Protein backbone atom coordinates (compact mmCIF):
# COMPACT_ATOMS: atom_id res chain seq x y z
CA UNK A 1 0.00 0.00 0.00
CA UNK A 2 1.27 3.48 -0.83
CA UNK A 3 2.51 5.42 2.17
CA UNK A 4 0.88 8.66 3.31
CA UNK A 5 3.16 11.58 2.45
CA UNK A 6 3.91 14.31 4.96
CA UNK A 7 5.30 17.84 4.56
CA UNK A 8 7.33 19.48 7.31
CA UNK A 9 7.23 23.29 7.64
CA UNK A 10 9.89 24.57 10.05
CA UNK A 11 12.87 22.27 10.57
CA UNK A 12 14.13 23.58 13.93
CA UNK A 13 14.07 22.34 17.52
CA UNK A 14 10.65 20.71 17.79
CA UNK A 15 10.84 19.24 14.30
CA UNK A 16 14.10 17.49 15.16
CA UNK A 17 13.24 16.83 18.80
CA UNK A 18 9.69 15.50 18.44
CA UNK A 19 7.98 15.27 15.06
CA UNK A 20 10.48 13.84 12.60
CA UNK A 21 11.88 11.10 14.89
CA UNK A 22 8.33 10.08 15.85
CA UNK A 23 6.98 10.08 12.29
CA UNK A 24 9.90 7.89 11.25
CA UNK A 25 8.66 5.21 13.65
CA UNK A 26 5.36 4.80 11.79
CA UNK A 27 5.44 2.33 8.96
CA UNK A 28 2.56 3.72 6.86
CA UNK A 29 3.87 7.28 6.37
CA UNK A 30 6.88 9.01 4.89
CA UNK A 31 8.25 12.56 4.78
CA UNK A 32 8.62 13.87 1.25
CA UNK A 33 8.71 17.69 1.62
CA UNK A 34 10.69 19.93 3.95
CA UNK A 35 10.61 23.71 4.28
CA UNK A 36 12.62 26.19 6.30
CA UNK A 37 13.67 29.77 5.62
CA UNK A 38 17.15 28.55 6.53
CA UNK A 39 17.75 26.22 3.54
CA UNK A 40 20.47 24.17 5.25
CA UNK A 41 17.98 23.13 7.95
CA UNK A 42 15.45 21.89 5.41
CA UNK A 43 18.20 20.15 3.45
CA UNK A 44 19.59 18.45 6.55
CA UNK A 45 16.11 17.29 7.61
CA UNK A 46 15.43 15.92 4.12
CA UNK A 47 18.70 14.00 4.15
CA UNK A 48 18.15 12.61 7.63
CA UNK A 49 14.41 11.85 7.55
CA UNK A 50 13.18 12.21 3.98
CA UNK A 51 12.56 9.80 1.14
CA UNK A 52 15.13 9.67 -1.65
CA UNK A 53 12.88 11.91 -3.78
CA UNK A 54 12.15 14.38 -0.95
CA UNK A 55 11.85 18.02 -1.99
CA UNK A 56 13.30 20.98 -0.15
CA UNK A 57 11.65 24.42 -0.02
CA UNK A 58 12.35 27.80 1.53
CA UNK A 59 8.83 29.10 0.85
CA UNK A 60 5.99 27.24 2.56
CA UNK A 61 3.56 28.36 -0.15
CA UNK A 62 5.55 26.30 -2.63
CA UNK A 63 5.49 23.28 -0.35
CA UNK A 64 1.70 23.60 -0.08
CA UNK A 65 1.46 23.24 -3.87
CA UNK A 66 3.14 19.83 -3.65
CA UNK A 67 0.26 17.52 -4.56
CA UNK A 68 1.95 14.40 -3.25
CA UNK A 69 1.47 15.40 0.38
CA UNK A 70 -1.94 15.31 2.05
CA UNK A 71 -0.88 16.46 5.52
CA UNK A 72 1.63 18.88 7.03
CA UNK A 73 3.30 19.72 10.31
CA UNK A 74 3.55 23.43 11.13
CA UNK A 75 6.57 23.81 13.38
CA UNK A 76 7.42 27.48 13.05
CA UNK A 77 7.29 30.36 15.56
CA UNK A 78 3.83 31.08 16.95
CA UNK A 79 3.04 34.07 14.75
CA UNK A 80 3.03 31.76 11.73
CA UNK A 81 0.67 29.14 13.15
CA UNK A 82 -2.58 30.74 12.00
CA UNK A 83 -1.49 32.01 8.61
CA UNK A 84 0.23 28.77 7.61
CA UNK A 85 -2.49 26.48 9.00
CA UNK A 86 -5.23 28.39 7.19
CA UNK A 87 -3.35 28.34 3.89
CA UNK A 88 -2.55 24.66 4.31
CA UNK A 89 -6.19 23.78 5.02
CA UNK A 90 -7.39 25.66 1.94
CA UNK A 91 -4.63 23.92 -0.04
CA UNK A 92 -6.37 20.67 0.90
CA UNK A 93 -3.92 19.46 3.55
CA UNK A 94 -4.70 18.04 6.98
CA UNK A 95 -2.77 20.04 9.57
CA UNK A 96 -0.95 19.28 12.78
CA UNK A 97 0.24 22.65 14.09
CA UNK A 98 2.48 23.07 17.10
CA UNK A 99 1.18 24.62 20.30
CA UNK A 100 -0.05 27.20 21.07
CA UNK A 101 -2.77 27.12 18.42
CA UNK A 102 -2.28 30.84 17.71
CA UNK A 103 -1.02 34.01 19.34
CA UNK A 104 -4.56 35.22 20.04
CA UNK A 105 -8.16 33.99 20.06
CA UNK A 106 -9.17 35.86 16.92
CA UNK A 107 -6.56 33.97 14.92
CA UNK A 108 -7.59 30.69 16.54
CA UNK A 109 -11.18 31.34 15.46
CA UNK A 110 -10.03 32.03 11.90
CA UNK A 111 -8.25 28.68 11.95
CA UNK A 112 -11.44 26.99 13.16
CA UNK A 113 -13.39 28.65 10.35
CA UNK A 114 -10.90 27.38 7.77
CA UNK A 115 -11.06 23.90 9.28
CA UNK A 116 -14.85 23.84 9.10
CA UNK A 117 -15.00 25.26 5.59
CA UNK A 118 -12.46 22.81 4.20
CA UNK A 119 -13.50 19.76 6.21
CA UNK A 120 -9.81 18.91 6.66
CA UNK A 121 -8.41 17.86 10.04
CA UNK A 122 -6.70 20.37 12.31
CA UNK A 123 -4.95 19.33 15.51
CA UNK A 124 -2.50 21.06 17.83
CA UNK A 125 0.74 19.60 19.25
CA UNK A 126 -0.22 19.09 22.90
CA UNK A 127 1.63 15.77 23.18
CA UNK A 128 1.44 15.67 26.98
CA UNK A 129 -2.13 14.44 26.68
CA UNK A 130 -0.44 11.14 25.72
CA UNK A 131 1.70 11.02 28.87
CA UNK A 132 0.84 7.78 30.73
CA UNK A 133 -0.44 9.59 33.83
CA UNK A 134 -2.68 11.88 31.79
CA UNK A 135 -4.01 8.93 29.77
CA UNK A 136 -4.77 7.10 33.02
CA UNK A 137 -6.39 10.14 34.64
CA UNK A 138 -8.52 10.72 31.55
CA UNK A 139 -9.69 7.10 31.59
CA UNK A 140 -10.71 7.57 35.23
CA UNK A 141 -12.42 10.87 34.43
CA UNK A 142 -14.39 9.16 31.66
CA UNK A 143 -15.49 6.53 34.20
CA UNK A 144 -16.60 9.41 36.44
CA UNK A 145 -14.23 8.32 39.22
CA UNK A 146 -13.70 11.94 40.25
CA UNK A 147 -17.33 13.07 40.15
CA UNK A 148 -17.68 16.78 39.42
CA UNK A 149 -14.19 18.30 39.18
CA UNK A 150 -14.57 21.79 40.65
CA UNK A 151 -11.08 22.75 41.80
CA UNK A 152 -7.76 22.36 39.96
CA UNK A 153 -4.21 23.59 39.77
CA UNK A 154 -1.86 23.58 36.82
CA UNK A 155 1.71 24.72 36.83
CA UNK A 156 5.05 24.56 35.09
CA UNK A 157 7.71 26.28 37.13
CA UNK A 158 11.30 26.65 36.05
CA UNK A 159 13.76 28.28 38.39
CA UNK A 160 15.84 29.16 35.33
CA UNK A 161 14.96 27.83 31.88
CA UNK A 162 14.45 30.70 29.45
CA UNK A 163 14.57 29.30 25.90
CA UNK A 164 17.25 31.39 24.30
CA UNK A 165 17.30 29.70 20.89
CA UNK A 166 15.01 30.87 18.10
CA UNK A 167 12.62 33.75 18.85
CA UNK A 168 11.03 32.68 22.14
CA UNK A 169 11.74 35.96 23.94
CA UNK A 170 10.18 38.14 21.23
CA UNK A 171 6.54 39.10 21.60
CA UNK A 172 6.00 39.90 17.92
CA UNK A 173 7.09 36.37 16.98
CA UNK A 174 5.61 34.35 19.84
CA UNK A 175 2.80 36.44 21.34
CA UNK A 176 4.14 36.03 24.87
CA UNK A 177 6.63 34.22 27.10
CA UNK A 178 6.39 31.40 29.63
CA UNK A 179 2.59 31.42 29.73
CA UNK A 180 2.01 30.87 26.02
CA UNK A 181 5.07 28.62 25.76
CA UNK A 182 4.85 26.16 28.67
CA UNK A 183 1.90 27.22 30.84
CA UNK A 184 -0.24 26.33 27.83
CA UNK A 185 0.58 22.60 28.25
CA UNK A 186 -0.47 22.46 31.91
CA UNK A 187 -3.68 24.37 31.26
CA UNK A 188 -4.47 22.12 28.31
CA UNK A 189 -4.16 19.00 30.50
CA UNK A 190 -6.38 20.30 33.28
CA UNK A 191 -9.13 21.45 30.89
CA UNK A 192 -8.95 18.04 29.19
CA UNK A 193 -9.29 16.15 32.47
CA UNK A 194 -12.12 18.42 33.62
CA UNK A 195 -13.70 18.33 30.16
CA UNK A 196 -14.65 21.93 30.82
CA UNK A 197 -14.08 24.47 28.05
CA UNK A 198 -16.35 27.24 29.28
CA UNK A 199 -14.31 29.96 31.00
CA UNK A 200 -16.16 32.75 32.75
CA UNK A 201 -13.49 35.09 34.06
CA UNK A 202 -9.79 35.25 34.87
CA UNK A 203 -7.54 37.45 36.95
CA UNK A 204 -3.97 37.36 35.70
CA UNK A 205 -0.54 38.76 36.46
CA UNK A 206 2.67 38.64 34.43
CA UNK A 207 6.24 39.54 35.36
CA UNK A 208 9.55 40.24 33.64
CA UNK A 209 11.48 41.23 36.75
CA UNK A 210 14.62 39.13 36.14
CA UNK A 211 15.38 39.84 32.52
CA UNK A 212 17.76 42.73 33.20
CA UNK A 213 19.89 40.74 35.62
CA UNK A 214 23.35 40.22 34.22
CA UNK A 215 23.97 36.84 35.87
CA UNK A 216 21.40 34.52 34.27
CA UNK A 217 22.57 31.02 35.31
CA UNK A 218 20.25 29.91 32.51
CA UNK A 219 20.73 26.30 31.37
CA UNK A 220 19.96 27.33 27.79
CA UNK A 221 22.63 30.04 27.90
CA UNK A 222 22.45 33.73 28.75
CA UNK A 223 19.51 35.74 27.48
CA UNK A 224 19.68 39.09 25.77
CA UNK A 225 17.52 41.65 27.58
CA UNK A 226 17.40 43.86 24.50
CA UNK A 227 15.75 41.07 22.57
CA UNK A 228 13.36 40.07 25.35
CA UNK A 229 9.94 41.71 25.65
CA UNK A 230 7.80 38.87 27.01
CA UNK A 231 6.91 37.71 30.52
CA UNK A 232 9.09 35.17 32.29
CA UNK A 233 6.45 34.42 34.94
CA UNK A 234 2.66 34.48 34.90
CA UNK A 235 -0.28 33.36 36.97
CA UNK A 236 -4.01 33.18 36.48
CA UNK A 237 -6.99 32.64 38.74
CA UNK A 238 -9.61 31.23 36.43
CA UNK A 239 -13.29 30.71 37.19
CA UNK A 240 -15.35 28.60 34.81
CA UNK A 241 -19.01 29.18 33.97
CA UNK A 242 -20.04 26.28 36.25
CA UNK A 243 -18.13 27.82 39.18
CA UNK A 244 -15.03 25.57 38.95
CA UNK A 245 -11.67 27.16 39.76
CA UNK A 246 -8.32 26.61 38.02
CA UNK A 247 -5.14 28.17 39.40
CA UNK A 248 -2.42 28.39 36.77
CA UNK A 249 1.20 29.29 37.50
CA UNK A 250 4.12 29.29 35.12
CA UNK A 251 7.67 30.57 34.91
CA UNK A 252 10.79 30.36 32.81
CA UNK A 253 12.65 32.08 35.62
CA UNK A 254 11.63 32.55 39.25
CA UNK A 255 13.57 32.51 42.48
CA UNK A 256 12.05 29.36 43.93
CA UNK A 257 13.06 25.78 44.61
CA UNK A 258 9.47 24.59 44.12
CA UNK A 259 10.04 23.73 40.49
CA UNK A 260 7.98 21.37 38.33
CA UNK A 261 7.92 20.34 34.70
CA UNK A 262 4.18 19.88 34.26
CA UNK A 263 2.22 19.53 37.45
CA UNK A 264 -1.51 19.31 37.91
CA UNK A 265 -4.05 18.63 40.61
CA UNK A 266 -7.72 17.97 40.00
CA UNK A 267 -10.23 17.75 42.81
CA UNK A 268 -13.69 16.32 42.28
CA UNK A 269 -16.66 15.54 44.49
CA UNK A 270 -15.82 11.81 44.52
CA UNK A 271 -12.00 11.70 44.23
CA UNK A 272 -8.96 13.69 43.17
CA UNK A 273 -5.71 13.15 41.31
CA UNK A 274 -2.34 14.81 41.09
CA UNK A 275 1.13 14.15 39.70
CA UNK A 276 3.10 16.02 42.34
CA UNK A 277 6.68 14.93 43.09
CA UNK A 278 6.75 12.97 39.84
CA UNK A 279 4.18 10.45 41.11
CA UNK A 280 0.65 10.05 39.83
CA UNK A 281 -1.83 9.48 42.64
CA UNK A 282 -5.56 9.19 43.01
CA UNK A 283 -7.05 10.07 46.38
CA UNK A 284 -10.45 9.70 47.96
CA UNK A 285 -12.39 8.21 50.81
CA UNK A 286 -13.51 4.56 50.99
CA UNK A 287 -14.96 2.52 53.87
CA UNK A 288 -14.74 5.69 55.96
CA UNK A 289 -10.96 5.82 55.43
CA UNK A 290 -8.89 8.09 53.28
CA UNK A 291 -7.09 6.25 50.50
CA UNK A 292 -4.36 7.01 48.00
CA UNK A 293 -3.71 4.75 45.02
CA UNK A 294 -0.59 4.96 42.93
CA UNK A 295 -1.03 3.11 39.62
CA UNK A 296 2.04 1.44 38.17
CA UNK A 297 2.31 3.33 34.91
CA UNK A 298 5.45 1.51 33.86
CA UNK A 299 3.46 -1.59 32.93
CA UNK A 300 2.01 -2.07 29.47
CA UNK A 301 -1.54 -1.50 30.59
CA UNK A 302 -1.84 2.02 29.23
CA UNK A 303 0.02 1.56 25.97
CA UNK A 304 -2.30 1.94 23.02
CA UNK A 305 -0.17 0.44 20.33
CA UNK A 306 1.87 -2.62 19.69
CA UNK A 307 5.62 -2.71 19.27
CA UNK A 308 7.59 0.36 20.15
CA UNK A 309 4.86 2.85 19.23
CA UNK A 310 4.45 3.96 22.81
CA UNK A 311 6.04 7.35 23.43
CA UNK A 312 3.69 10.34 23.70
CA UNK A 313 5.31 11.86 20.59
CA UNK A 314 4.69 8.69 18.58
CA UNK A 315 1.16 8.30 19.87
CA UNK A 316 0.45 11.90 18.89
CA UNK A 317 1.49 11.18 15.30
CA UNK A 318 -0.28 7.80 15.24
CA UNK A 319 -3.54 9.34 16.41
CA UNK A 320 -3.38 12.07 13.75
CA UNK A 321 -2.66 9.60 10.96
CA UNK A 322 -5.38 7.26 12.22
CA UNK A 323 -7.79 10.21 12.22
CA UNK A 324 -6.84 10.95 8.59
CA UNK A 325 -7.57 7.29 7.81
CA UNK A 326 -10.91 7.57 9.60
CA UNK A 327 -9.89 4.99 12.20
CA UNK A 328 -9.77 7.16 15.32
CA UNK A 329 -10.93 10.50 16.72
CA UNK A 330 -8.44 13.29 17.23
CA UNK A 331 -7.40 13.63 20.87
CA UNK A 332 -6.65 17.35 20.62
CA UNK A 333 -9.53 18.93 18.77
CA UNK A 334 -9.02 22.42 17.38
CA UNK A 335 -12.10 23.70 19.24
CA UNK A 336 -10.59 22.84 22.61
CA UNK A 337 -7.12 24.16 21.74
CA UNK A 338 -8.79 27.44 20.77
CA UNK A 339 -10.20 27.72 24.29
CA UNK A 340 -6.69 27.26 25.73
CA UNK A 341 -5.58 30.20 23.57
CA UNK A 342 -8.65 32.19 24.63
CA UNK A 343 -7.81 31.72 28.32
CA UNK A 344 -4.13 32.61 27.83
CA UNK A 345 -5.22 35.77 26.06
CA UNK A 346 -7.59 36.56 28.94
CA UNK A 347 -4.68 36.31 31.41
CA UNK A 348 -2.59 38.66 29.27
CA UNK A 349 -5.44 41.17 29.01
CA UNK A 350 -6.14 40.99 32.74
CA UNK A 351 -2.44 41.47 33.56
CA UNK A 352 -2.31 44.52 31.31
CA UNK A 353 -5.51 46.15 32.54
CA UNK A 354 -5.13 45.18 36.18
CA UNK A 355 -8.74 43.99 36.22
CA UNK A 356 -10.50 40.65 35.94
CA UNK A 357 -11.26 39.66 32.34
CA UNK A 358 -14.74 38.33 31.55
CA UNK A 359 -14.85 36.09 28.50
CA UNK A 360 -18.44 36.66 27.43
CA UNK A 361 -18.72 40.42 27.69
N1 LIG B 1 5.03 20.71 21.95
C1 LIG B 1 6.08 21.12 22.63
O1 LIG B 1 6.37 20.64 23.73
C2 LIG B 1 6.96 22.19 22.03
C3 LIG B 1 8.28 22.33 22.45
C4 LIG B 1 9.07 23.29 21.83
C5 LIG B 1 8.52 24.13 20.86
N2 LIG B 1 7.22 23.98 20.49
C6 LIG B 1 6.62 24.88 19.48
O2 LIG B 1 7.22 24.63 18.21
C7 LIG B 1 7.31 25.85 17.50
C8 LIG B 1 8.76 26.02 17.02
O3 LIG B 1 9.60 25.99 18.14
P1 LIG B 1 11.13 25.46 17.99
O4 LIG B 1 11.63 25.25 19.36
O5 LIG B 1 11.18 24.37 17.02
O6 LIG B 1 11.80 26.77 17.39
P2 LIG B 1 13.08 26.82 16.44
O7 LIG B 1 13.44 28.25 16.34
O8 LIG B 1 14.08 25.84 16.91
O9 LIG B 1 12.53 26.29 15.02
C9 LIG B 1 11.64 27.02 14.23
C10 LIG B 1 12.07 26.84 12.78
O10 LIG B 1 11.13 27.51 11.93
C11 LIG B 1 11.86 28.15 10.89
N3 LIG B 1 11.01 29.22 10.35
C12 LIG B 1 10.75 30.43 10.87
N4 LIG B 1 9.93 31.13 10.06
C13 LIG B 1 9.66 30.31 9.01
C14 LIG B 1 8.89 30.46 7.83
N5 LIG B 1 8.20 31.59 7.59
N6 LIG B 1 8.85 29.45 6.94
C15 LIG B 1 9.55 28.29 7.16
N7 LIG B 1 10.33 28.11 8.27
C16 LIG B 1 10.36 29.09 9.18
C17 LIG B 1 13.11 28.66 11.58
O11 LIG B 1 14.14 28.95 10.65
C18 LIG B 1 13.44 27.48 12.49
O12 LIG B 1 14.28 26.53 11.86
C19 LIG B 1 6.82 26.95 18.42
O13 LIG B 1 5.50 27.27 18.09
C20 LIG B 1 6.87 26.33 19.80
O14 LIG B 1 5.86 26.81 20.67
C21 LIG B 1 6.44 23.01 21.05
Amino acid sequence: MEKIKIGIIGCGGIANGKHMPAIRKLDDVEMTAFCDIIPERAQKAAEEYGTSDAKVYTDYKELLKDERINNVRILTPNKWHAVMSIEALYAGKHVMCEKPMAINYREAQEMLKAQKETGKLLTIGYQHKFDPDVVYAKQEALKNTFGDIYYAKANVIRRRGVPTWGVFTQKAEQGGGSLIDIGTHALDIVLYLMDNYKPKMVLGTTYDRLKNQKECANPFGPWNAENYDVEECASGYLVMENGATIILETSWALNTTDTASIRYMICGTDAGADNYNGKFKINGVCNNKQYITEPDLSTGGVAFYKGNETSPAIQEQRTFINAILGKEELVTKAETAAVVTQILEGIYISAKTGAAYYFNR
Side-chain angles (χ1 to χ4, degrees), residues 162-173 211-212 222-230 252:
V162 178
T164 45
W165 69 92
V167 292
F168 282 89
T169 56
Q170 297 168 38
K171 188 162 186 208
E173 297 284 333
K211 74 170 194 183
N212 286 312
W223 56 73
N224 176 3
E226 282 166 19
N227 214 5
Y228 186 155
D229 61 350
V230 295
W252 280 342

Side-chain angles (χ1 to χ4, degrees), residues 192-208:
Y192 177 60
L193 296 179
M194 295 172 89
D195 194 22
N196 186 340
Y197 292 96
K198 292 192 172 147
K200 181 179 171 194
M201 75 99 177
V202 72
L203 188 60
T205 50
T206 60
Y207 301 93
D208 64 350

